Amino acid sequence: MADNKRRGEDAGDDRLDDEVVDEVADDDATSADEPVSRGGTATRSRARAESADSRPTTRSETSRVGVFGRIARFFREVVAELRKVIWPTRKELLTYTAVVVTFVAVMLTIVGLLDLGFAKVVLFVFGNSD
């Protein structure tokens, strides 16, 4: 009897959870004017569709491809990824290069001056043995 009573209480809790979910869904419907974040939220239908599409590959399927087939697939995938890259224009490339060279020169100067300063301090503290 105690189990039946607990099940009845759980059923009441489930109804409350459904109401909360409905309220959240209503809030989402009213905020359709707001931009959606990149991550988004998963839905049950999307989760089912993704799980059906991503079936695990067995070892026998992957071992059928020879060494040259795997190398060819690698290069095809590399070319496909490189096509997705947004290449900079010549002006952007020169600007980025100038920024990097300037930053490296500034950092080189700072590190060089610190090295020179620490060397002078060490020679002053421990004496010059020349």
Side-chain angles (χ1 to χ4, degrees):
M1 285 190 125
D3 290 336
N4 289 339
K5 189 174 185 181
R6 286 186 192 153
R7 286 183 192 156
E9 290 174 1
D10 290 342
D13 290 343
D14 288 341
R15 281 187 235 129
L16 291 176
D17 290 341
D18 290 342
E19 290 172 6
V20 171
V21 170
D22 289 340
E23 289 173 7
V24 172
D26 291 339
D27 289 341
D28 290 343
T30 57
S31 62
D33 297 335
E34 296 178 15
V36 178
S37 66
R38 275 196 134 164
T41 57
T43 61
R44 290 181 184 159
S45 61
R46 182 182 295 165
R48 278 190 222 125
E50 288 176 359
S51 65
D53 291 341
S54 61
R55 63 180 179 91
T57 57
T58 60
R59 186 176 182 140
S60 62
E61 289 178 2
T62 56
S63 64
R64 291 181 195 163
V65 180
V67 173
F68 295 112
R70 287 184 287 194
I71 292 172
R73 183 179 63 196
F74 170 75
F75 283 112
R76 278 194 310 268
E77 290 178 2
V78 167
V79 169
E81 289 298 321
L82 286 175
R83 287 185 179 154
K84 296 177 187 177
V85 173
I86 299 173
W87 296 99
T89 63
R90 182 173 181 84
K91 183 178 178 183
E92 291 172 337
L93 185 64
L94 292 174
T95 302
Y96 297 155
T97 303
V99 167
V100 169
V101 168
T102 304
F103 178 76
V104 169
V106 168
M107 293 306 295
L108 179 74
T109 304
I110 292 171
V111 170
L113 290 174
L114 286 172
D115 181 46
L116 181 65
F118 285 131
K120 294 285 184 181
V121 169
V122 168
L123 287 176
F124 178 73
V125 170
F126 294 109
N128 194 356
S129 61
D130 286 336

